[in-house]
Amino acid sequence: MSETNSIFKRLSQALDKIVVGQSSTVQHLLVALLSGGHVIIEGVPGTGKTLLVKAIAQLIQADFRRIQLTPDILPSDILGTNIFDFESRSFTLKKGPVFTEVLLADEINRTPPKTQSALLEAMEEQQVTLDGETLALPELFWTIATQNSLEFEGTYPLPEAQLDRFLFKLVVDYPDAAAEKQMLLNAEAGFRAKRLDLARIKSLATVEQIISARQAVQTVKVEEKVLDYVLALVHNTRKHPDLALGASPRSAVAWLQSSKAHAWLAGRDYTTPDDVKAIALPLLRHRLILKPESLLDGLQIDSVIASVLKQVAVPR
């Protein structure tokens, strides 16, 4: 195992101690970080979504900004604006929180579409255009959005075009009894996220090491049979009888890249069908749309994805 691989193993272990009982979410977050893909984290309040993002930013020494999205937030509150200086009689750019390395867009579905769309260019092209001037964002730029899975009143569901720009949608559920007991023991021992105990967490990596790891992921080999397997799965979603919308070409590319990242995290320099299957749920669940009749039948998107995986033969 290389030094960079071992760094990610230590990152995983550290995050598992901070956010107890969410190992699967942690692993998928690290795959997204390696792939350079943005993430939606959905879950009920109090399951550690914000804590997880703050912790990972601290552990990799990344610049971190948080936007608490509400109905009255404007695009300029995210991107920034040019302010006129009466003394110099010129405009000065006041950059918004989007100019950071790790951006937490908290409760993204509580802000109107106009404000949601302010993130589109930043997420897809890693740049922001203000008053005709294009400004580059940091090389690491990584957006993690959260949303509540239960409350729908006063929310604005993200359109398909924006959802497709997120690599993964991670669903955070309640921890099991053992994990929740460990959380109580941690609290009893004095850990308080509200008191910013995170600031005392020792960093395990640097942004430069993360960028280097992303470059290493690109060297992971993909055999043609694995490539064809990804294509077969994508095409199967487009003709599935329960789906009104299948996976896009962008999702096929994202699937390939994140499969390579999953393989690299496992210490391999080649990709297997198991890597492809391991990330199918978080990669597809926000991209596929069920037909109305399937929704009425109570069908869940995760079960449809499982059926897609069963229908396509695994290459040997």
Side-chain angles (χ1 to χ4, degrees):
M1 179 180 291
S2 69
E3 175 60 26
T4 315
N5 275 92
S6 64
I7 286 173
F8 272 82
K9 186 175 182 180
R10 292 197 297 272
L11 278 174
S12 177
Q13 292 169 345
L15 289 168
D16 283 338
K17 290 178 182 178
I18 296 167
V19 185
V20 184
Q22 303 293 352
S23 295
S24 176
T25 301
V26 166
Q27 287 303 309
H28 285 134
L29 254 186
L30 292 179
V31 170
L33 176 60
L34 272 172
S35 306
H38 309 292
V39 179
I40 296 178
I41 303 180
E42 182 177 279
V44 296
T47 47
K49 301 185 296 294
T50 301
L51 175 62
L52 179 58
V53 181
K54 291 168 67 177
I56 197 169
Q58 174 71 20
L59 287 168
I60 65 174
Q61 302 179 51
D63 186 27
F64 171 79
R65 301 288 168 84
R66 174 182 177 180
I67 315 168
Q68 187 64 48
L69 292 165
T70 55
D72 59 345
I73 290 287
L74 299 173
S76 58
D77 295 324
I78 298 174
L79 304 179
T81 187
N82 283 302
I83 299 175
F84 186 74
D85 187 337
F86 285 96
E87 291 186 5
S88 64
R89 294 187 175 276
S90 62
F91 285 94
T92 303
L93 174 63
K94 182 180 180 183
K95 291 182 177 181
V98 75
F99 289 91
T100 188
E101 290 172 328
V102 178
L103 177 68
L104 173 60
D106 224 352
E107 296 191 279
I108 193 170
N109 58 335
R110 288 203 173 280
T111 200
K114 182 178 180 181
T115 305
Q116 291 173 357
S117 65
L119 287 169
L120 281 176
E121 182 184 11
M123 290 170 59
E124 185 65 16
E125 301 177 42
Q126 211 165 324
Q127 64 182 31
V128 168
T129 302
L130 288 172
D131 294 340
E133 183 182 0
T134 300
L135 304 168
L137 294 173
E139 188 175 3
L140 182 74
F141 181 68
W142 191 33
T143 300
I144 301 176
T146 69
Q147 59 184 24
N148 190 329
S149 58
L150 296 179
E151 296 181 15
F152 298 102
E153 187 175 347
T155 62
Y156 304 85
L158 291 168
E160 287 75 18
Q162 186 150 4
L163 283 172
D164 200 38
R165 284 167 167 79
F166 285 94
L167 176 68
F168 287 161
K169 178 182 178 181
L170 306 180
V171 177
V172 180
D173 206 347
Y174 290 118
D176 59 31
E180 200 156 7
K181 182 177 180 180
Q182 185 60 51
M183 289 170 57
L184 296 177
L185 290 172
N186 291 348
E188 184 65 18
F191 179 78
R192 298 288 187 274
K194 291 181 181 179
R195 286 213 313 258
L196 297 180
D197 286 2
L198 287 173
R200 296 198 292 271
I201 294 174
K202 183 180 178 182
S203 298
L204 298 176
T206 63
V207 169
E208 290 72 23
Q209 286 173 318
I210 302 301
I211 300 298
S212 176
R214 286 182 178 179
Q215 294 168 351
V217 167
Q218 298 309 309
T219 66
V220 174
K221 302 178 185 68
V222 181
E223 292 186 13
E224 189 172 353
K225 63 180 182 180
V226 176
L227 194 70
D228 290 338
Y229 181 53
V230 172
L231 284 173
L233 289 168
V234 168
H235 290 163
N236 190 278
T237 65
R238 297 172 188 170
K239 59 184 181 182
H240 196 283
D242 293 315
L243 293 175
L245 180 68
S248 68
R250 181 194 283 121
S251 65
V253 175
W255 205 340
L256 183 64
Q257 292 299 322
S258 46
S259 297
K260 291 167 68 173
H262 189 274
W264 187 87
L265 274 177
R268 286 182 275 105
D269 65 351
Y270 59 92
T271 309
T272 69
D274 286 338
D275 295 313
V276 175
K277 291 192 290 185
I279 56 173
L281 284 176
L283 185 123
L284 293 176
R285 61 165 57 110
H286 59 298
R287 290 183 161 101
L288 308 182
I289 296 180
L290 289 168
K291 289 181 178 178
E293 54 268 33
S294 300
L295 282 170
L296 289 173
D297 289 340
L299 201 61
Q300 299 296 316
I301 197 68
D302 283 12
S303 63
V304 173
I305 296 170
S307 74
V308 168
L309 292 174
K310 287 180 181 178
Q311 289 168 8
V312 177
V314 179
R316 297 186 181 278

